[in-house]
Amino acid sequence: MKTLLRIDASARRTDNGKPSYNSISKSLAQLFCDHWQAQNNLSEFIYRDLGDQAPPAITQDWIAAVFTPEEHQSTEQQRLLELSDCLIDELQRADIILISTPMYNYGMPAALKAWFDQVIRINRTFSFDLKRGDFPLRPILSGKKTGFGLLLRRVWLWRRRDPRRNESPGSPYQDPEPLSGGGAVL
């Protein structure tokens, strides 16, 4: 039995009155989950919608709490780290992690960045020791199998123009050509 952690980062929902407003990344993630659950026995399914409930950005007080030994943390510091502890616990329980995200302004959504900030935490998910020389960082979350899957709605290919082929000048790239029109799991 496996535990699947699904993290959606899109700000869009999938139940809009106008289907063209629906989140493509969340829809593809749902297709993946449906297929995965039909093929595998899941003991637990953990769902986190960052578009609906984004983790807060880290603050100076949060950083101070992280660097305070647990036995010396104040009640307020422990409260500041509750969500981070919960997110890390979900990550530790998961055998499979699915992150669905759109690209906003050529980068990940702020909510997904905030999630990474909450879970990449010294003494919980990595350790730091200058005595290790050139490699002071060491992961604590280990023993997990890693893999990478890509869910695509459409892929565009830009080919470089070949100056020897008498192609029109202007951009060094030709107009994009679609490689696939539907979803794909790679």
Side-chain angles (χ1 to χ4, degrees):
M1 296 282 226
K2 303 261 187 210
T3 299
L4 174 74
L5 169 60
R6 175 179 163 187
I7 300 162
D8 286 339
S10 177
R12 289 183 170 201
R13 298 185 326 264
T14 56
D15 61 353
N16 291 294
K18 195 170 184 182
S20 62
Y21 292 170
N22 287 345
S23 169
I24 295 167
S25 60
K26 285 181 180 178
S27 297
L28 289 171
Q30 187 60 52
L31 286 172
F32 174 87
C33 286
D34 292 345
H35 179 75
W36 184 268
Q37 287 176 333
Q39 302 296 320
N40 299 280
N41 291 327
L42 286 179
S43 60
E44 186 178 10
F45 180 77
I46 305 166
Y47 180 64
R48 178 80 48 186
D49 188 345
L50 303 178
D52 185 44
Q53 292 183 324
I58 60 173
T59 63
Q60 177 174 307
D61 291 339
W62 186 94
I63 293 169
V66 165
F67 282 95
T68 301
E70 198 170 327
E71 61 274 7
H72 298 297
Q73 288 174 352
S74 69
T75 305
E76 177 61 21
Q77 287 178 318
Q78 291 171 354
R79 189 193 61 73
L80 283 171
L81 297 178
E82 281 178 352
L83 176 61
S84 177
D85 289 337
C86 177
L87 297 175
I88 292 169
D89 290 343
E90 290 175 353
L91 196 57
Q92 289 174 323
R93 289 192 338 246
D95 298 299
I96 300 108
I97 302 163
L98 172 64
I99 300 175
S100 78
T101 184
M103 187 185 322
Y104 294 152
N105 299 318
Y106 301 102
M108 74 175 80
L112 183 57
K113 170 64 168 83
W115 180 85
F116 279 114
D117 288 342
Q118 294 281 340
V119 299
I120 299 173
R121 198 169 113 196
I122 193 164
N123 298 326
R124 285 295 311 269
T125 56
F126 75 93
S127 64
F128 181 85
D129 187 350
L130 289 175
K131 294 176 190 165
R132 295 185 194 130
D134 290 341
F135 304 99
L137 299 172
R138 181 168 293 153
I140 294 173
L141 284 180
S142 60
K144 295 202 176 278
K145 293 184 179 186
T146 58
F148 180 76
L150 185 59
L151 302 173
L152 304 170
R153 178 173 187 264
R154 179 164 292 197
V155 177
W156 293 92
L157 171 67
W158 279 265
R159 289 189 300 118
R160 286 200 53 82
R161 292 189 190 277
D162 186 346
R164 298 169 293 185
R165 289 194 174 173
N166 196 20
E167 294 175 328
S168 63
S171 168
Y173 294 95
Q174 294 179 346
D175 293 331
E177 301 171 7
L179 286 180
S180 67
V185 179
L186 303 177

